[in-house]
Amino acid sequence: QKEVEQNSGPLSVPEGAIASLNCTYSDRGSQSFFWYRQYSGKSPELIMSIYSNGDKEDGRFTAQLNKASQYVSLLIRDSQPSDSATYLCAVNLINTGGFKTIFGAGTRLFVKA
Amino acid sequence: DAMVIQNPRYQVTQFGKPVTLSCSQTLNHNVMYWYQQKSSQAPKLLFHYYDKDFNNEADTPDNFQSRRPNTSFCFLDIRSPGLGDAAMYLCATSRGTEGGYTFGSGTRLTVV
């Protein structure tokens, strides 16, 4: 089992719809969770971070964390063509060996105009 | 603006010819990372510096080395690039271990 799993997509949604991106992780010791957006040929850009169970909203983005079920999701409301990108889920794990951030391979999102 | 700068954006090197990629930051972050990312794959951590402490990932090939001469700069040296080392190399920084990363624009390495 991969440490951080995402559906590779592509996920296709019409403009104005809600895009829902999901991520599961394997290590229950994971403590910090992040979503990055990566446009084709560019580097990742941090868009959301979440540290406790529940929802966190920032503009059109909402991150949801459920540690019991070991999943984190990202909702994008009123999706725009400019949201078309790959979204990477990242999980921070801190243990006696130090800390480590594990990235998922990403979900490609395509927003149709 | 505070940022993470990688040079060059594109690097072409010959098979077996040493190459150095550079990263600088004006964020005063104490942690710096080097990631390798191949097409449609997750970024793979090569190593990181927590302040001056160097941390190598167990599966990072010996062919990859790194230097951090001061807080602001970090270098990735590939001693003998192979065709399989062609990838995007991403430098990132963070303040401590709790927050997210700020990435540089990346260096796309081509090996011919």
Side-chain angles (χ1 to χ4, degrees):
Chain A
Q1 180 188 5
K2 293 181 183 177
E3 293 176 284
V4 178
E5 290 206 60
Q6 298 181 253
N7 188 322
S8 62
L11 173 66
S12 184
V13 300
E15 183 175 1
I18 296 175
S20 178
L21 307 167
N22 298 310
C23 171
T24 58
Y25 58 94
S26 60
D27 197 314
R28 288 195 173 274
S30 302
Q31 300 183 349
S32 311
F33 307 85
F34 307 93
W35 284 98
Y36 291 83
R37 177 177 61 201
Q38 187 173 27
Y39 292 113
S40 181
K42 304 295 186 182
S43 61
E45 174 192 10
L46 179 66
I47 55 172
M48 288 289 286
S49 57
I50 188 166
Y51 302 93
S52 55
N53 282 327
D55 294 0
K56 179 182 178 182
E57 185 175 318
D58 184 1
R60 295 186 296 113
F61 299 99
T62 298
Q64 299 175 317
L65 175 61
N66 184 323
K67 289 187 178 181
S69 300
Q70 294 175 242
Y71 83 78
V72 57
S73 62
L74 179 70
L75 301 178
I76 307 175
R77 290 182 300 281
D78 188 24
S79 295
Q80 301 297 309
S82 59
D83 295 325
S84 299
T86 296
Y87 289 80
L88 303 172
C89 172
V91 175
N92 266 17
L93 169 65
I94 299 176
N95 55 29
T96 54
F99 79 98
K100 192 169 185 177
T101 297
I102 307 296
F103 282 85
T107 298
R108 285 176 52 212
L109 173 66
F110 178 61
V111 181
K112 298 175 292 184
Chain B
D1 287 343
M3 57 179 59
V4 181
I5 301 169
Q6 289 188 247
N7 284 303
R9 289 292 307 276
Y10 302 93
Q11 175 73 57
V12 179
T13 191
Q14 291 180 335
F15 182 95
K17 184 174 181 181
V19 65
T20 294
L21 310 182
S22 72
C23 177
S24 64
Q25 55 128 341
T26 59
L27 297 163
N28 203 30
H29 284 172
N30 61 327
V31 193
M32 295 187 77
Y33 312 80
W34 280 105
Y35 279 85
Q36 179 194 65
Q37 188 180 29
K38 298 185 177 181
S39 181
S40 300
Q41 295 184 19
K44 177 181 180 299
L45 181 64
L46 297 175
F47 22 60
H48 75 273
Y49 281 91
Y50 193 110
D51 295 321
K52 295 182 179 180
D53 294 335
F54 176 70
N55 298 272
N56 196 32
E57 292 300 297
D59 58 354
T60 298
D62 292 340
N63 197 26
F64 292 87
Q65 304 284 316
S66 184
R67 297 169 282 136
R68 188 179 186 186
N70 55 51
T71 302
S72 301
F73 286 86
C74 197
F75 299 96
L76 170 62
D77 301 308
I78 308 177
R79 293 193 294 187
S80 181
L83 297 179
D85 296 328
M88 173 80 90
Y89 289 87
L90 298 165
C91 174
T93 71
S94 68
R95 188 182 306 281
T97 59
E98 293 300 312
Y101 295 173
T102 302
F103 281 90
S105 55
T107 294
R108 182 164 296 282
L109 178 69
T110 300
V111 182
V112 297

